[in-house]
Structure formats: C-alpha cells, structure tokens
Amino acid sequence: MRPDKVLSMIGIAARAGSIASGEFSTEKAVKGGKACLVILAKDASQNTRKHFSDMCGYRHIPLYEYADKKQLGNCIGKECRASMAVTDQNLAGAIVKKLTETEQLNNGGNR
C-alpha cells in the first residue's frame, strides 16, 4: 500500500502546530480568521457538511472533503475527526496542491 501524501502533509501540519481539529476548534479557527483551509471527512454527517460549507463559502475559505474520520484522526495522532482547519498559509497551499493532484489522478484513472 502506497503512503498517502495528503495525510502525511496533514500530519506534518499537525506536528507544526498548524491544525485545529474537531468541530468546535475548526469552527473557532474559521470564525476567528485563522483558518486557511478546512478539510472534512467524506463520512461526515450531512449537517456538518452543510454547516462548514456555508461558513467557509461566506468567508471564502477553501473546503475539501478527503479520507474518512478515522484516517483524518489517525494522521494527526488523535481519534476520529470529522473536520479540521489548517492555520498556516504555506502548509495549506501545499496541502491544496496535493489534494488537487490526487483528484486529477483519481479522475484521470476513471476515464
């Protein structure tokens, strides 16, 4: 099994102290203007998705869905996490780049 580069980069951001995880902390980072990127688990509830979609859309913060709750939590050394915010602009940019590359690879493989 190949290592997941997106999850690895999220782990690096966590070790750098640039991750707010869990719904309350993520919401606080978004509303406080600290969030540069929000990542939701693909198995997050519909209510959670709508809540963060509306909040991030209003504030023009990129929002991506990636992995599942268990994978997101494990990559930062925690239990299950449905949401997290990256608070460092450079790390957020690097993670978005990897997310985009991963999406392109997955979409290209389906053709």
Side-chain angles (χ1 to χ4, degrees):
M1 185 171 154
R2 284 187 3 221
D4 189 316
K5 294 187 184 203
V6 174
L7 293 176
S8 296
M9 293 190 77
I10 294 170
I12 290 168
R15 286 189 292 284
S18 298
I19 293 282
S21 71
E23 288 192 44
F24 179 76
S25 296
T26 303
E27 183 174 339
K28 186 176 174 184
V30 170
K31 288 183 176 178
K34 293 182 180 0
C36 301
L37 166 67
V38 173
I39 301 171
L40 294 179
K42 287 187 176 183
D43 58 347
S45 72
Q46 194 63 34
N47 189 33
T48 299
R49 285 184 183 156
K50 174 147 179 40
H51 179 70
F52 283 105
S53 176
D54 293 347
M55 197 181 342
C56 291
Y58 178 76
R59 292 172 176 82
H60 307 290
I61 297 169
L63 173 72
Y64 284 86
E65 288 186 20
Y66 191 76
D68 60 28
K69 292 178 191 177
K70 187 171 177 131
Q71 290 172 312
L72 282 182
N74 286 342
C75 78
I76 61 170
K78 308 249 185 209
E79 292 293 319
C80 298
R81 290 291 187 261
S83 63
M84 59 180 58
V86 181
T87 58
D88 180 88
Q89 186 66 48
N90 293 327
L91 287 168
I95 293 170
V96 166
K97 184 177 176 187
K98 280 291 177 205
L99 283 164
T100 305
E101 288 173 8
T102 303
E103 282 178 358
Q104 288 173 349
L105 283 174
N106 290 340
N107 290 339
N110 292 335
R111 290 183 186 167

